[in-house]
Amino acid sequence: MALLNILVYPDARLTKISRPVKEFSEDLRKFVRDLEEIFRSFPGCVGIAAPQVGRFERIILVDISDKPKHVNHGFLILINPEITFCEGSSLGREGCLSVPDYTGKVERAKSITLKALNQKGEKLEFQMSGYEARAVQHEIDHLDGKLFLDRLVSRRNALSKRVEIPAKP
Amino acid sequence: MENWLMLTLVGKDRPGIVAKISHALFEMKGNLGEASMTRLGGNFTIMLMVCIPESKTVVQEKLQNICDELELFFHLDAIEAGLHQHIEPDVRISIHGADQAGIVASATDALNKAGLNILNLESDVGGSSESPVYIMHIEGIAGKGFDAVEQALQALSRKKDVVARMTPIDTMVG
Ligand SMILES: [Zn+2]
């Protein structure tokens, strides 16, 4: 079948908040197959979220196994994903299928605990950190209508990393 | 054909420089492209791409009035340019240590020989006036691989007594 289309910024639909999946039907599985097909058509891309193709449901795919340097859980199909715990922070460079020709530095939690459901509606839980945790946080942002552009750290600030101490009242 | 100009501007920092310059360009139907604007040691500096229907001479005249008023020096060059031509850096380098003559020259010479193509360099002098500290951040492409850059940095670090580190940049696309 024809590949789905990727919504590209500044398409306002990218700011929509996606709703949780309620039915774990054949329709869901078919959509996941279509989503995987378009995801695989972008070499180097490590994640995709359903709203990026105009389906506003909480479904993401993540697969960083092509980056053998990074510890990973293989190909993940995550329905209604939720970060239940996060720790630390790390600065890294991100790009997005929905934002062509631009990459920038983004701060993310270093380690996360992730809960989600699989295609059958069964519970999953993962501990992840680094690159994989970054990919998951980027994709979950799409479900909440956020892009990495909303979290950019400016070049110079990212470099000097000054600690700002709030003034005492 | 698109008419791109590169505007280079420098002058004593004061509020309103960016607003006044960009307004003047807007009035001439200029379309701003990529830009770097920053304060360096009390001066404000601009490097800015603008795509503009007016000729260089006309832009020159209009900007001259504003720049005279704001005591700014500027320069225009016709450039061959376009947007959507970003190149991704694959390595980030940080160098810092006591400020010393020739640190940028030795660092960039070593990195050039190690095959590094610099895409972005920012440097600062911090610390106090008695003991200034030099801090430099570079992003670029390691044309001869990371090992060559790593070795160059280790040699630099020993020779100049600075901290010199590199981190590969692994852009996450999702
Ligand atoms: Zn994205």
Side-chain angles (χ1 to χ4, degrees), chain B residues 98-167:
Chain B
D99 194 19
Q100 52 188 302
I103 177 67
V104 181
S106 349
T108 50
D109 181 49
L111 289 168
N112 180 36
K113 286 178 181 141
L116 185 83
N117 176 17
I118 297 177
L119 298 177
N120 185 40
L121 184 153
E122 285 174 3
S123 71
D124 258 308
V125 182
S128 61
S129 41
E130 302 82 59
S131 54
V133 179
Y134 199 82
I135 306 123
M136 178 158 59
H137 287 272
I138 298 173
E139 288 178 344
I141 296 174
K144 294 184 192 161
F146 296 145
D147 286 349
V149 174
E150 181 73 59
Q151 280 162 23
L153 290 177
Q154 281 177 18
L156 177 78
S157 172
R158 280 192 300 272
K159 204 171 91 193
K160 291 280 172 181
D161 192 25
V162 292
V163 176
R165 283 202 198 93
M166 61 152 264
T167 329

Side-chain angles (χ1 to χ4, degrees), chain A residues 44-48 52 67 69-70 91 93-97 101-103 105 131 134-135 138-139 142 155-156 159, chain B residues 34-36 38-40 83-89 92 120 122-124 137 139 146 168-174:
Chain A
C45 175
V46 298
I48 196 167
Q52 285 182 283
K67 313 251 174 186
K69 279 196 319 238
H70 303 286
L91 205 56
R93 209 177 182 94
E94 296 185 16
C96 180
L97 291 179
D101 193 50
Y102 187 80
T103 63
K105 282 177 208 152
Y131 201 84
R134 172 173 298 276
H138 177 113
E139 300 313 332
H142 279 300
R155 279 195 201 166
R156 233 175 155 81
L159 299 175
Chain B
E34 293 166 27
S36 159
T38 194
R39 192 183 141 101
L40 299 174
L83 300 174
H84 318 295
Q85 297 177 0
H86 284 114
I87 307 177
E88 284 298 306
R92 176 159 50 236
N120 185 40
E122 285 174 3
S123 71
D124 258 308
H137 287 272
E139 288 178 344
F146 296 145
I169 300 177
D170 205 345
T171 304
M172 196 287 299
V173 180

Side-chain angles (χ1 to χ4, degrees), chain A residues 24-150:
Chain A
F24 295 82
S25 59
E26 176 51 31
D27 176 60
L28 173 69
R29 282 184 287 277
K30 184 186 169 299
F31 171 71
V32 168
R33 281 196 300 275
D34 291 347
L35 188 62
E36 186 185 354
E37 190 186 359
I38 185 157
F39 170 50
R40 299 295 183 198
S41 74
F42 296 100
C45 175
V46 298
I48 196 167
Q52 285 182 283
V53 297
R55 177 144 164 165
F56 302 95
E57 289 191 86
R58 305 188 78 83
I59 304 164
I60 65 173
L61 308 182
V62 170
D63 188 356
I64 70 156
S65 54
D66 270 356
K67 313 251 174 186
K69 279 196 319 238
H70 303 286
V71 186
N72 69 82
H73 293 87
F75 176 42
L76 297 172
I77 300 169
L78 304 166
I79 319 276
N80 301 344
E82 218 178 307
I83 293 168
T84 55
F85 179 76
C86 57
E87 199 170 38
S89 75
S90 81
L91 205 56
R93 209 177 182 94
E94 296 185 16
C96 180
L97 291 179
S98 299
V99 187
D101 193 50
Y102 187 80
T103 63
K105 282 177 208 152
V106 181
E107 193 159 3
R108 301 280 184 192
K110 197 168 200 160
S111 316
I112 59 171
T113 301
L114 174 72
K115 287 191 175 155
L117 302 173
N118 67 14
Q119 294 186 85
K120 295 179 199 152
E122 296 161 344
K123 285 183 183 165
L124 306 170
E125 187 172 330
F126 302 94
Q127 308 288 333
M128 46 179 73
S129 59
Y131 201 84
E132 192 176 41
R134 172 173 298 276
V136 166
Q137 290 170 81
H138 177 113
E139 300 313 332
I140 291 181
D141 265 359
H142 279 300
L143 304 180
D144 294 324
K146 283 208 172 69
L147 295 172
F148 78 100
L149 300 178
D150 300 313

Side-chain angles (χ1 to χ4, degrees), chain B residues 51-98:
Chain B
C51 183
I52 200 155
E54 301 282 6
S55 73
K56 193 179 131 184
T57 328
V58 174
V59 179
Q60 178 84 33
E61 276 169 20
K62 299 223 165 139
L63 287 181
Q64 193 66 58
N65 293 331
I66 300 163
C67 288
D68 285 348
E69 188 190 313
L70 295 171
E71 295 171 35
L72 301 169
F73 298 100
F74 78 100
H75 182 78
L76 284 169
D77 287 295
I79 50 165
E80 239 178 74
L83 300 174
H84 318 295
Q85 297 177 0
H86 284 114
I87 307 177
E88 284 298 306
D90 64 7
V91 64
R92 176 159 50 236
I93 293 160
S94 309
I95 298 172
H96 62 85

